[in-house]
Every structure is written in C-alpha cells, then in structure tokens.
Amino acid sequence: MKDIENNDDLYLLVDEFYKKLLADTSIAYIFTEVVQIKLEEHLPILVTFWSQSLFNTGGYFKNLTNIHLDINEKEYLSPELFKIWLNHFNHSVDENFKGSNAEKIKTQALSIATVMQIKIHKQRNQN
Ligand code: HEM
C-alpha cells in the first residue's frame, strides 16, 4: 500500500470517506437533510482543504470551525456523531494508504475534531 502523495490520492480518500458517511444512516442525514451538500462541489473543497493541511498548497480560506458551529445550530453535532465521523475517516485512510502522510492526516483530523467539539460545547453553554 502506498502513502497519500498528491491531490489525486486525496480525492480518492474523500470519495471513499463520503461513501461511508452517506451509507451510514446514523450520520448521513446531516449531509442530506440538515445541510444538502452537492457532492460534486463538496469533494473538491475537501481536497483543497486537506491539500493545504498536508502539503501546504494553500487555497482554503474559510473558517472551518464556524462552518460547523452553523451546522450545530441547526442540529446538534454530538460526541457520538464525531466518533462516527472519525471512525469512517480513519478506516477510509487505513483501507487505502499507509505511511507518514496517512498517519499525519488522521492525527490532524482528530485534533481539528477536538477543537470543534470544544467550541461546540462552549456554544451550547452560552445558549
Ligand atoms: C460530526 C462530525 C462532522 C459532521 C457531521 C460534518 C458535517 C459537515 C457538513 C454537513 C458540511 C457541509 C457544510 C456546508 O456546505 O454548509 C461540512 C463541511 C466540511 N467539513 Fe465537516 N463535519 C464534521 C466534522 C468535520 C471534521 C472533524 C473536519 C476536519 C477535520 C471536517 C471538514 C470539513 C470540511 C473541509 C468541509 C468543507 C467546508 C467548506 O465548504 O468550506 N468536518 N461538514
């Protein structure tokens, strides 16, 4: 198995990842009902995001935490949902890639998810 080396690899990863998310009814409704994502627009944004994060390519300028706080206003993004999200993410990585970038992207996902959950918790305590 090879490591994540370029944007084609990232595209394959996010494609596999979203197949898992959308096939899992315990989380899919966030992407199909709460926010109605258009996959063909969404996946390239994810590639840009992860490319910036792994390869320092730049190009992603939005505030990712605020985007998720907005989703959380509509529907609570619970610790259970984060657990499901991270499980599918880690499995998608491990099923397709092996190496230092594969480890790095899983660590980054976990640390971003942790920050998001802290902010979500703060937001809930303010309301
Ligand atoms: C419970 C966990 C999560 C759920 C249910 C979730 C759901 C979503 C949804 C519905 C969108 C589309 C928002 C929109 O277009 O308005 C989105 C966007 C996105 N999410 Fe998440 N997310 C979760 C966690 C994460 C984590 C931990 C990361 C990163 C490590 C992440 C990365 C992204 C990125 C890069 C976008 C694209 C934002 C953009 O359009 O600029 N998500 N997420």
Side-chain angles (χ1 to χ4, degrees):
M1 237 191 280
K2 63 181 220 106
D3 200 1
I4 303 168
E5 281 155 10
N6 53 44
N7 282 12
D8 286 346
D9 294 338
L10 285 174
Y11 200 94
L12 187 143
L13 172 63
V14 297
D15 194 36
E16 291 296 313
F17 174 42
Y18 269 67
K19 277 184 198 155
K20 291 188 199 296
L21 288 177
L22 293 172
D24 182 344
T25 53
S26 60
I27 194 165
Y29 68 98
I30 305 281
F31 299 89
T32 57
E33 286 167 38
V34 179
V35 180
Q36 288 159 356
I37 59 152
K38 290 194 186 117
L39 211 52
E40 70 278 11
E41 291 171 11
H42 189 62
L43 294 185
I45 298 172
L46 299 181
V47 170
T48 304
F49 174 78
W50 284 116
S51 179
Q52 165 155 309
S53 169
L54 270 193
F55 310 130
N56 294 314
T57 43
Y60 188 83
F61 304 107
K62 287 190 261 172
N63 184 318
L64 193 58
T65 300
N66 284 348
I67 289 171
H68 291 79
L69 285 176
D70 287 346
I71 303 168
N72 182 61
E73 297 252 291
K74 297 180 190 141
E75 184 77 27
Y76 176 40
L77 295 181
S78 63
E80 182 59 25
L81 282 176
F82 271 94
K83 215 170 116 188
I84 294 166
W85 190 101
L86 282 165
N87 261 325
H88 287 313
F89 189 82
N90 290 340
H91 283 137
S92 305
V93 174
D94 290 340
E95 283 166 16
N96 294 286
F97 300 101
K98 193 175 171 58
S100 60
N101 284 336
E103 291 311 308
K104 196 170 151 191
I105 203 168
K106 287 184 283 179
T107 306
Q108 286 177 346
L110 176 61
S111 79
I112 295 165
T114 306
V115 172
M116 278 181 189
Q117 289 185 89
I118 291 168
K119 300 247 169 95
I120 283 169
H121 190 70
K122 278 191 190 156
Q123 187 183 54
R124 282 170 69 77
N125 286 342
Q126 277 165 9
N127 291 336

